[in-house]
Amino acid sequence: MKITKTFEVHSPIDSVWDLLQDIPTIAQCLPGAELTESPGPNHHKGKVAVAIGPMTAMFEGEAHITPKPADRSGVIEGSGTDSRGGNKGDLTMNYQLTEVESGTTAVGIDVDVELSGPVAKFGRTGLMEEIADRLIGDFSSCLDAKLAAATPEEAEAVAAKQISGVSLFFSSLGAWLAGLLRKLFRRE
């Protein structure tokens, strides 16, 4: 499944790039994520809770990050296993930073996600897009808040809100119903 998104961070490109290289800090901005170990500078292990439809999976895995400072881009390759639910996930994400105007940076991401196991049944493209929109919105808000913090202590206190499976499910259901109603009213 492919997901392509762009979001803006209201800070200069150098500040955003520097923050994105600080993996422990970035992990605080990923809803449901916990960094457990960093065996190497670009090799990290952790856990992430993912709510897909009515199901929540706890993936444990690792990621390898290849930053490309010359063009402010990089690649993240990760894989994880949810041993409780028998699920597996693999992810490759390319990212690119672009200065859109003075003091604002666009972050483009191109993600290829492969899910297997029971969670794959709920991973239809529309639902995954809705989940991605919600997670990216929370992630970019957290980045903005960390970069806008007046002190290092304030920045450290900023973290992504945990998303409950129930609220994400109902938010996705609401988006699906709204889309269905739009389609129905266009036909008339």
Side-chain angles (χ1 to χ4, degrees):
M1 176 178 336
K2 295 283 256 175
I3 298 172
T4 302
K5 300 283 179 191
T6 301
F7 62 93
E8 289 187 356
V9 180
H10 302 96
S11 290
I13 193 168
D14 290 337
S15 298
V16 176
W17 176 259
D18 290 344
L19 181 61
L20 291 176
Q21 304 318 298
D22 182 352
I23 301 307
T25 299
I26 290 304
Q28 295 173 337
C29 286
L30 295 168
E34 175 189 348
L35 184 65
T36 58
E37 182 183 354
S38 293
N42 294 319
H43 180 201
H44 305 280
K45 295 182 179 184
K47 301 175 186 178
V48 63
V50 181
I52 300 176
M55 174 180 266
T56 299
M58 175 58 83
F59 288 94
E60 292 187 45
E62 54 189 89
H64 297 273
I65 302 168
T66 307
K68 300 175 184 176
D71 65 351
R72 299 288 199 249
S73 67
V75 179
I76 300 170
E77 295 175 298
S79 63
T81 304
D82 168 31
S83 56
R84 286 184 318 179
N87 299 296
K88 184 169 177 9
D90 293 301
L91 168 136
T92 301
M93 180 174 85
N94 294 287
Y95 62 94
Q96 174 74 52
L97 276 60
T98 308
E99 190 166 42
V100 290
E101 59 184 61
S102 181
T104 301
T105 303
V107 180
I109 59 171
D110 184 19
V111 184
D112 188 9
V113 178
E114 292 183 33
L115 296 171
S116 60
V119 75
K121 289 188 284 187
F122 296 104
R124 65 174 177 78
T125 303
L127 180 59
M128 292 301 287
E129 287 279 340
E130 293 160 19
I131 292 169
D133 287 344
R134 175 97 181 256
L135 294 175
I136 290 168
D138 288 352
F139 179 72
S140 65
S141 294
C142 182
L143 290 181
D144 274 332
K146 281 191 175 289
L147 288 164
T151 66
E153 293 78 19
E154 280 183 28
E156 179 66 27
V158 174
K161 298 176 203 157
Q162 295 304 313
I163 299 173
S164 78
V166 173
S167 72
L168 190 55
F169 174 73
F170 283 113
S171 141
S172 298
L173 181 62
W176 176 79
L177 285 172
L180 181 62
L181 290 173
R182 278 192 299 276
K183 287 178 187 175
L184 287 173
F185 286 117
R186 277 192 215 136
R187 290 183 187 162
E188 294 177 6

